[in-house]
Amino acid sequence: MENRETFGSRLGFLLISAGCAIGIGNVWKFPYITGLYGGGAFVLIYLFFLIAMGVPLMTMEFAVGRASRKSPLLGFKQLQKNGHYWHLQGYVAMIGNYILMMFYTTVTGWMLHYFYLSAKGSFVGQDVEHINSLFGAMLGQPFALVFWMVVVVIIGFLVCSIGLQAGVEKITKNMMLALFGLIVLLAIKSITLPNATEGLKFYLLPDFNRMKEVGIGATIVAAMNQSFFTLSLGIGSIAIFGSYIGREHTLFGESLRVAGLDTMVAIFAGLIIFPACASFGVKADSGPNLIFITLPNIFNHMVLGRLWGSLFFLFMAFAAFSTVIAVFETILSCCMDLTGCSRKKGAYINIVLMILLSLPCALGFNVLSNIHPLGGDSSFLDLEDFIVSNVMLPLGSLLYLLFCVSKSGWGWKAFKKEADTGNGVKIPSWLRLYSTFLLPLIILFIFVIGIKDKFF
């Protein structure tokens, strides 16, 4: 077998895999929908689907990676039977990673810009209207958005160019440990604010009446969606880390740990947001409004708000960068497998390519703001996000699943043997029937709901 790079430690593998899954959605979406769909009641349903759907699919991605010792581009090719075409999914996965980064680099740049604004004191002493206007002002500046996007692309690929252990593992491990430290510190600060208890009750206590108001069906669909999308499954950016690990531990157990870390960050984000919003009498919003309008206004009214605001945007930058580095590593590994080029050469080529590919999103809010790819007031970001989230992730996950359960693919026995190798939690026997017949239907349901919500 070829001499493949490996992680230096199990902690490195777990933190980097979690870093790939932990992203901006953990912070700007999870707390909001938890509040909307009944607090703790929603969390229980979410955790059920995370274990029933997210963990088995993550185990399958890890298994394909570890068994093949290849990038997502060649993983299926290494394991498929002769005369089959499963390997074509590898090219789709590679394209998916590029499209994901075409908008994620710009959004990560927003975090860096706001960290810079907060650290230099741009919010101090400003009124609500001024702070609200800063986000729109940023989007209207092509130079600022392109500058931060370029910074993100260069840093991300330079980290990957150093090597797996010396670059990706060492830097992401330290960044993730700092992220966990920051989120705990910010949560403690938020919980100790005046009137924070009301926010905690709203967030954590199960409220079945609220759940009934929005609809039990809608709550279940929202929990399903969040548990599926939170782990970044379907385009091979999890499989790549499976290809770098040894066989000391079972993959079902490792998937449970990664999902646990991802969920911890999502729940802690709510511990920052809801007590702070309750303390200052502000409604918790979702998406960019929460991060760039609601929270800066709250930090502005806090004692040492400049410090807490800067720490929050540093935490957000780390959450975003952990995903960027993980996906860049996937892209780089695919390029090395495809062309045989060195790690450094692949990184330098991809810096130029990624900057060019990211320009439509960065310019979509200003220079190209008259172009609406999905109609209405949609931007390039909306189009790219839709392609990845609503099409490539569900269909990619379905292909990983079918490859692992069908005889024409890798097959259940081969998958289970790989996944169960090592110490730890083995795959339960009932999972075979469930994975073969029910799980594909759940993924198709998520795909159809995503298309329906977008166009109908």
Side-chain angles (χ1 to χ4, degrees):
M1 190 173 283
E2 64 174 292
N3 191 17
R4 186 164 181 79
E5 291 178 279
T6 55
F7 285 122
S9 67
R10 184 187 184 198
L11 180 67
F13 157 70
L14 290 173
L15 288 177
I16 291 165
S17 301
C20 182
I22 292 164
I24 296 156
N26 292 64
V27 183
W28 79 22
K29 192 176 179 197
F30 180 81
Y32 172 76
I33 57 172
T34 299
L36 183 68
Y37 290 105
F42 171 82
V43 174
L44 292 173
I45 300 170
Y46 164 78
L47 289 174
F48 168 77
F49 280 113
L50 191 73
I51 293 167
M53 185 169 60
V55 171
L57 290 171
M58 181 174 264
T59 305
M60 289 170 185
E61 269 207 41
F62 276 146
V64 170
R66 191 170 75 172
S68 66
R69 291 283 174 209
K70 298 284 185 190
S71 72
L73 186 74
L74 297 181
F76 281 24
K77 192 172 188 177
Q78 185 80 5
L79 301 175
Q80 73 185 8
K81 297 172 178 69
N82 289 336
H84 288 271
Y85 295 95
W86 291 95
H87 65 280
L88 295 175
Q89 193 273 347
Y91 295 96
V92 178
M94 186 176 174
I95 292 165
N97 281 285
Y98 273 111
I99 298 174
L100 172 60
M101 287 297 106
M102 281 164 67
F103 67 89
Y104 213 89
T105 48
T106 296
V107 178
T108 304
W110 296 353
M111 305 304 162
L112 291 181
H113 183 69
Y114 263 68
F115 170 65
Y116 162 73
L117 290 180
S118 187
K120 80 167 189 163
S122 295
F123 306 130
V124 177
Q126 300 293 345
D127 59 17
V128 173
E129 284 73 25
H130 179 78
I131 290 175
N132 290 3
S133 69
L134 284 175
F135 183 57
M138 174 190 75
L139 294 183
Q141 297 171 344
F143 176 78
L145 293 194
V146 172
F147 170 78
W148 288 115
M149 175 270 285
V150 169
V151 168
V152 170
V153 173
I154 291 173
I155 292 174
F157 275 117
L158 286 182
V159 167
C160 294
S161 74
I162 298 167
L164 181 68
Q165 283 189 28
V168 176
E169 182 175 359
K170 186 178 178 183
I171 289 164
T172 307
K173 194 158 79 171
N174 289 326
M175 201 162 66
M176 291 302 293
L177 292 171
L179 182 150
F180 291 131
L182 283 172
I183 200 167
V184 170
L185 185 68
L186 286 160
I188 290 168
K189 169 63 184 171
S190 195
I191 289 165
T192 53
L193 289 169
N195 204 37
T197 322
E198 291 309 307
L200 286 173
K201 283 180 189 168
F202 178 80
Y203 178 47
L204 295 176
L205 289 182
D207 187 338
F208 294 103
N209 289 329
R210 215 184 322 154
M211 197 162 113
K212 279 179 193 164
E213 275 171 32
V214 288
I216 291 170
T219 305
I220 290 169
V221 170
M224 250 183 187
N225 263 320
Q226 186 65 16
S227 63
F228 177 79
F229 292 117
T230 189
L231 296 175
S232 306
L233 302 168
I235 52 174
S237 33
I238 287 294
I240 186 67
F241 301 121
S243 76
Y244 293 141
I245 53 169
R247 292 190 156 81
E248 297 82 10
H249 301 281
T250 62
L251 295 174
F252 196 74
E254 300 298 65
S255 298
L256 283 167
R257 288 179 186 88
V258 172
L261 289 171
D262 178 78
T263 304
M264 187 192 96
V265 171
I267 288 172
F268 264 82
L271 295 179
I272 297 169
I273 289 158
F274 284 106
C277 286
S279 183
F280 292 97
V282 178
K283 191 178 182 300
D285 208 333
S286 176
N289 277 1
L290 171 72
I291 303 297
F292 301 112
I293 293 172
T294 308
L295 289 174
N297 274 307
I298 288 173
F299 292 130
N300 204 27
H301 289 93
M302 276 186 194
V303 178
L304 296 178
R306 183 173 169 183
L307 170 68
W308 294 111
S310 301
L311 290 177
F312 177 78
F313 285 109
L314 185 63
F315 150 64
M316 286 301 295
F318 283 167
F321 251 116
S322 63
T323 303
V324 168
I325 292 171
V327 178
F328 279 3
E329 174 61 26
T330 310
I331 287 171
L332 203 51
S333 185
C334 287
C335 290
M336 285 152 63
D337 273 358
L338 190 65
T339 65
C341 69
S342 68
R343 184 175 271 275
K344 279 194 163 48
K345 187 178 178 183
Y348 299 149
I349 291 167
N350 271 292
I351 284 174
V352 178
L353 183 59
M354 200 74 248
I355 288 171
L356 293 173
L357 289 172
S358 301
L359 282 175
C361 179
L363 299 175
F365 301 97
N366 36 72
V367 179
L368 304 175
S369 60
N370 59 330
I371 301 173
H372 306 292
L374 293 173
D377 57 358
S378 64
S379 64
F380 282 99
L381 185 151
D382 297 312
L383 173 67
E384 291 157 4
D385 183 23
F386 170 74
I387 292 169
V388 175
S389 300
N390 297 76
V391 180
M392 290 185 135
L393 294 184
L395 295 184
S397 292
L398 186 63
L399 282 169
Y400 268 101
L401 171 64
L402 295 176
F403 184 66
C404 289
V405 300
S406 68
K407 286 177 181 170
S408 70
W410 191 23
W412 180 263
K413 281 185 182 171
F415 155 67
K416 191 175 186 314
K417 185 183 175 188
E418 179 61 50
D420 283 350
T421 300
N423 300 316
V425 185
K426 311 283 187 197
I427 288 177
S429 53
W430 56 265
L431 202 66
R432 181 175 188 173
L433 274 174
Y434 165 75
S435 297
T436 307
F437 298 107
L438 188 57
L439 193 49
L441 294 177
I442 295 174
I443 297 171
L444 279 172
F445 175 73
I446 287 171
F447 170 69
V448 170
I449 288 285
I451 300 294
K452 181 185 85 66
D453 287 350
K454 195 57 151 183
F455 294 110
F456 306 101

